[in-house]
């Protein structure tokens, strides 16, 4: 034992030297400190293009406004000159419970409220029944302009008064530079109508159909705009611009507003013609220099020419920060009441933000939730939790943003450093992380009490729960999961039940019909990843190392499939698509049922990421007569864990448990997208809805072009699931036995070396040997040097490259 103690003492000195010299951490990255949005008294613009926020007293709270019964979609919201608010929206008509058709199924309304949305006066806009309109603008007196999509360059425009009586005319943009669509429209205080074309130019539109370019944008392309009194606030590619509506001249910009766009370019772009990533309004709807703006980061107030932006509402504390929110308008009734219209994943919503001067300006408690990857589902869960628990602030951190050069190694190194320093997160989303290592090192707390409580009240999939048990405890468990599937017609329907039969079938399909792809053009990495998800659950031996024969077999089958039907060589056609979706926080599947409809390929396999995608697949099969099975299910019935959640042992465990309990609950889990819920109540709610699905009631359909680019269009209509469909899918889920390997370092080693093998750079034996050596070296580094209990020490020494870390447990 003396030798061991001497070695530990020497390395301890080495670790101290590293810590003192700043050697811990990767790539110079630094984890932000815990805390709410940083505030300073002067509220200036930082050198890193972030807005300093001046904290106020009191606090705004969010309340939902119930939409009038007839309203399903919101086109615009505005404060009127008499102080009331008006909303323009539409609803789909029905006749005897059946829809009347896609082209003539909408009615449009103006709703007005004098009491912050508690009650509404309704006026149906006449002359629009049976039409589908693009967007709308509200006049200061409660009238409106509604625009159709362009037909042969002409745009039909309907001008309505506050009572719904309409006059119509057609116009076209000068020079007919584009298809003529109105991308955005608004009225100024003199009731002049301003419209934006698809090329980013601003025009004034006369009631006689005249359309004149009236604003000098000085070469700047405008993406969307709002008008407050006689000031037009426009989002350009490089920032926010201001124009005087009277003379059309640019009246400068605000550095304070340019900085958020410099930080997040998505705020400058318009993702659709019916909503925008930011909203602007003036106090009381007036002209003054006191302006408000809203984005996913919250609601802010600033004075033009100043350097202070006061954050009134923090986005993460309310629905604005839940992800995928687009704004239809904002109305500032006064300094204590703000109404926002927004499109969310749950439909169109109206939110009232009211100020309570007695409330504390900041929550009493705080926890930090850390994940490597952006997640829309996680953002929504945080927003839901904070609305239910206004006294708790959740600081949500993502290690890999995709745009700051931070690598996986960097992120994990910084995370380890912060845990070591006692600044680690309270809740860990362990997707991609070395879960087993964290458990062995005592980083994670037992959450069996949480999962047990949820299981008793709402139910959990027992096989997923049991697979999460280690040494009689649950240290982490996935909130959601995906499954690998294979799909085809006739004999190919079950070809994916093993990788061996899949490889033989793909080879034979290509041999029999060389002119048609056997499978989708996956490239190397997506092909390897799909097969990895379906097979890696069978690779690990009891000591944690990888089984050589299992890895070699996997690579061999992947090589056969790639050689039989390789289309993209080194270019990976799908990997960028799925990578971009991951950066946006969406979990997309790689199975492509649509290609069976268009005939672009003969069978498909990949991941199925949710129940909406199950409905999509079943809907295509009404045309293709295809069927599906669990990919590789005859060898190992595996699933892909998603949002694997754990609580750190040294964190704020009690508050963290409240968040994790909500995350596993049915209320948070009832989503059709981004994974299948492990909560049985949530699963039953979502899948049962598909027996009588809303998108079927709405006659939703999908249209797409074929891969050959000949202009021919294909499509399918959504259909309801049947009880037989639900039983088959549920039976597959309940049969799942093991999770695929989730450690991303291991996965990346396999994909990198496997790609070299598929492209013929390395042999099968050389590739297998390299993978095993790299993985085993990584696992030995992760394991560290565990100290024996009899030494009296409680901790471990963790070595990574030339760095070493001491953890005390």
């Amino acid at each position: 034992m003396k030798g061991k103690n001497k070695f530990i003492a020497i390395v301890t000195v080495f670790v101290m030297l590293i810590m003192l010299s700043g050697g811990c951490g990767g790539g110079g990255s630094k984890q932000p400190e815990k805390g709410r949005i940083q505030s300073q008294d002067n509220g200036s613009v930082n050198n890193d293009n972030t807005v300093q926020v001046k904290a106020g007293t009191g606090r705004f709270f969010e309340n939902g406004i119930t939409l009038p019964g007839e309203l399903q979609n919101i086109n615009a919201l505005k404060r009127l000159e008499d102080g009331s608010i008006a909303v323009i929206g539409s609803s789909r008509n029905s006749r005897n419970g059946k829809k009347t058709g896609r082209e003539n199924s909408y009615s449009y309304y103006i709703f007005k409220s004098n009491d912050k949305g508690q009650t509404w006066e309704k006026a149906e806009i006449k002359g629009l029944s049976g039409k589908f309109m693009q967007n709308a603008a509200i006049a200061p007196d409660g009238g409106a302009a509604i625009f159709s999509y362009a037909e042969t360059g002409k745009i039909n425009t309907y001008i309505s008064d506050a009572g719904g009586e309409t006059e119509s005319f057609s116009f076209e943009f000068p020079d007919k530079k584009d298809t003529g669509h109105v991308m955005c429209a608004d009225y100024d205080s003199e009731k002049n109508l301003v419209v934006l074309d698809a090329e980013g130019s601003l025009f004034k539109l006369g009631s006689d159909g005249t359309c004149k370019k009236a604003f000098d944008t000085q070469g700047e392309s405008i993406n969307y705009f709002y008008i407050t009194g006689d000031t037009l606030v426009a989002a350009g590619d490089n920032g926010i611009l201001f124009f005087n509506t009277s003379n059309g001249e640019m009246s400068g910009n605000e550095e304070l507003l340019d900085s958020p766009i410099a930080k997040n370019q998505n705020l400058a772009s318009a993702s659709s013609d019916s909503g925008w990533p930011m909203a602007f309004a003036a106090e009381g709807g007036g002209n003054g220099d006191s302006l408000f703006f809203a984005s996913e980061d919250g609601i802010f107030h600033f004075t033009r020419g100043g350097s202070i932006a006061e954050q009134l509402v923090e986005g993460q504390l309310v629905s604005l920060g839940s992800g995928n929110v687009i704004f239809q308008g904002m109305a500032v009734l006064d300094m204590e009441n703000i109404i926002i219209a927004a499109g969310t994943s749950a439909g169109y919503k109206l939110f009232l933000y009211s100020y309570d001067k007695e409330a504390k300006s900041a929550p009493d408690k705080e926890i930090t939730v850390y994940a490597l990857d952006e997640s829309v589902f996680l953002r929504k869960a945080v927003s839901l939790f904070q609305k239910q628990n206004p006294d708790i602030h959740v600081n949500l951190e993502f290690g890999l943003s995709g745009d700051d050069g931070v690598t996986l190694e960097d992120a994990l190194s910084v995370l380890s450093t912060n845990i070591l320093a006692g600044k680690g997160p309270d809740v860990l989303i362990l997707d991609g992380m070395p879960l087993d290592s964290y458990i062995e090192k005592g980083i994670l707390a037992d959450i069996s009490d949480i999962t047990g409580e949820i299981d008793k009240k709402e139910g959990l999939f027992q096989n997923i729960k049991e697979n999460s048990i280690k040494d009689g405890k649950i240290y982490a468990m996935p909130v959601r999961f995906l499954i690998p599937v294979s799909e085809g017609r006739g004999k190919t329907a079950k070809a994916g039940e093993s990788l061996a039969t899949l490889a033989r079938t793909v080879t034979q399909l290509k041999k029999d019909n060389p002119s048609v792809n056997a499978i989708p053009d996956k490239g190397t990495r997506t092909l390897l990843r799909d097969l990895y998800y379906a097979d890696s659950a069978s690779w690990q031996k009891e000591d944690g190392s990888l089984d050589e024969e299992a890895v070699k077999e996997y690579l061999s089958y992947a090589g056969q499939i790639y050689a039989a039907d390789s289309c993209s060589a080194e270019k990976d056609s799908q990997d960028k698509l799925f990578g971009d979706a991951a950066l946006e926080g969406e979990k997309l599947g790689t199975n492509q049922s649509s290609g069976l409809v268009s005939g672009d390929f003969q069978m498909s396999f990949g991941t199925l990421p949710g129940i909406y995608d199950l409905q999509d697949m079943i809907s295509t099969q009404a045309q293709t007569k295809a069927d599906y099975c669990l990919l590789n299910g005859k060898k190992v019935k595996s699933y892909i864990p998603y949002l694997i959640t754990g609580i750190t042992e040294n964190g704020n465990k009690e508050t963290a448990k409240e968040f994790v309990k909500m995350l596993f609950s049915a209320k948070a889990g009832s989503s059709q997208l981004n994974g299948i819920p492990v909560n049985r109540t949530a699963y039953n709610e979502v899948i049962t809805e598909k027996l009588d699905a809303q998108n079927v009631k709405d006659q939703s359909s999908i249209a797409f072009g074929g891969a050959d680019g000949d202009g021919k269009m294909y499509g399918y209509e959504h259909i309801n699931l049947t009880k037989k469909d639900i039983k088959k899918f549920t039976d597959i889920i309940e049969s799942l036995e093991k999770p695929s390997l989730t450690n991303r370092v291991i996965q990346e080693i396999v994909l990198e070396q496997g790609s070299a093998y598929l492209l013929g750079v390395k042999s099968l034996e050389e590739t297998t040997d390299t993978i095993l050596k790299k993985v085993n070296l990584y696992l030995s580094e992760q394991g560290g040097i565990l100290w024996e209990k009899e030494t009296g020490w409680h901790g471990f020494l963790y070595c990574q490259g030339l760095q070493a870390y001491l953890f005390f447990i």
Side-chain angles (χ1 to χ4, degrees), residues 540-545:
Q540 219 162 12
K541 297 189 291 187
E542 287 188 9
D543 63 358
S545 63

Side-chain angles (χ1 to χ4, degrees), residues 69 99 244 253 337 435 537 620 654 664 693 726 733 752 769:
K99 302 303 173 187
N244 187 303
N253 66 331
N337 293 281
L435 173 59
T620 65
E654 292 309 310
F664 277 102
I726 291 176
I733 290 175
E752 180 185 17
D769 184 58

Side-chain angles (χ1 to χ4, degrees), residues 79-97:
R79 182 190 186 277
L80 304 182
E81 57 193 4
D82 64 1
S84 62
I85 59 169
V87 172
I88 292 180
S90 62
S91 65
R92 186 183 288 272
N93 300 321
S94 63
R95 185 179 298 148
N96 297 326

Side-chain angles (χ1 to χ4, degrees), residues 319-491:
S319 299
L320 304 184
S322 61
N324 287 346
V325 171
I326 57 174
F327 294 90
Q328 275 71 37
M330 176 166 62
V332 180
L333 304 183
D334 52 49
M335 289 297 290
E336 296 186 357
N337 293 281
I338 301 168
I339 295 177
I340 285 177
T344 72
S345 58
Y348 290 91
K349 302 287 185 182
L350 286 174
F351 300 107
L352 170 63
Y353 297 92
S354 295
Y355 185 73
D356 183 350
K357 63 182 179 181
E358 301 298 329
K360 294 182 178 180
S361 60
D364 295 326
K365 305 173 186 176
E366 180 184 41
I367 57 170
T368 296
V369 178
Y370 180 92
L372 285 174
D373 299 314
E374 173 71 63
S375 168
V376 169
F377 182 90
L378 192 57
R379 284 194 181 277
K380 291 176 182 176
V382 167
S383 179
L384 175 63
F385 179 76
Q386 292 189 143
K387 283 196 290 184
Q388 293 177 343
N389 300 273
D391 62 327
I392 303 173
H393 176 254
V394 180
N395 183 29
L396 183 57
E397 297 176 0
F398 295 107
L400 300 173
S401 67
D403 57 5
D404 54 9
V406 175
T407 66
L408 175 63
E409 182 182 10
D410 293 338
L412 291 176
S413 178
V414 172
L415 177 64
S416 297
T417 302
N418 284 330
I419 291 174
L420 171 65
K423 297 179 181 180
D426 305 289
V427 177
L428 271 176
I429 305 300
L430 293 140
D431 298 4
M433 298 184 192
L435 173 59
D436 290 340
S437 176
Y438 286 3
I439 293 173
E440 291 170 2
K441 294 169 182 176
I443 292 173
L444 300 175
D446 183 13
I447 60 170
S448 301
D449 54 340
I450 298 173
T451 57
E453 181 180 340
I454 295 293
D455 195 11
K456 184 177 180 180
K457 290 181 179 179
E458 300 176 343
L460 297 169
F461 278 109
Q462 293 304 301
N463 47 340
I464 309 294
K465 179 183 175 183
E466 289 169 6
N467 275 321
S468 304
I469 297 174
K470 185 165 186 176
D471 299 327
K473 298 178 180 180
I474 294 178
Y475 296 98
M477 181 172 160
V479 174
R480 304 178 79 80
F481 60 96
L482 293 76
I483 62 172
V485 298
S486 174
E487 186 182 12
R489 304 179 187 89
K491 294 181 180 179

Side-chain angles (χ1 to χ4, degrees), residues 118-272:
Q118 295 183 49
T119 59
W120 297 91
E121 299 174 10
K122 178 184 75 173
E124 182 172 355
I125 302 175
K126 297 178 176 60
L128 297 186
S129 183
K131 303 181 186 302
F132 183 77
M133 309 303 290
Q134 181 188 14
N135 55 35
I138 301 173
D141 62 358
I146 306 97
F147 304 91
S148 71
Y149 281 93
E151 296 180 9
T152 63
K154 291 186 178 293
I155 302 164
N156 293 324
T157 305
Y158 297 82
I159 304 297
S160 170
D161 63 19
E165 299 292 336
T166 59
E167 296 178 355
S168 64
F169 62 87
S170 296
F171 79 95
E172 56 187 15
F173 288 110
D175 304 326
K176 300 179 182 178
K177 293 182 296 181
D178 55 29
T179 57
H181 293 325
V182 172
M183 303 304 294
C184 185
D186 203 354
Y187 280 94
D188 66 17
S189 59
E190 300 299 320
K191 207 180 175 182
N192 296 308
L193 187 56
V194 181
V195 294
L196 175 72
D197 72 357
E199 293 190 353
S201 296
L202 293 164
F203 298 84
K204 279 191 177 180
L205 185 61
S207 58
D208 58 354
T210 57
C211 182
K212 298 180 180 179
K213 193 169 184 179
F215 293 86
D216 181 9
T217 62
Q218 299 181 17
E220 185 84 17
S221 179
I222 303 303
N223 299 316
Y224 61 94
F225 72 93
Y226 294 85
I227 295 178
T228 61
D230 60 6
T231 300
L232 187 148
V233 187
D237 291 336
N238 300 312
I240 302 298
L241 305 173
F242 291 82
F243 298 86
N244 187 303
T245 58
S246 299
N247 56 29
E249 295 180 356
M250 189 182 294
S251 57
N253 66 331
E254 297 287 337
E255 186 180 1
L256 192 65
L257 294 182
D258 293 341
S259 59
I261 289 179
K263 183 180 179 182
N264 181 6
Q265 194 62 35
N266 290 331
L267 295 179
S269 61
S271 58
S272 73

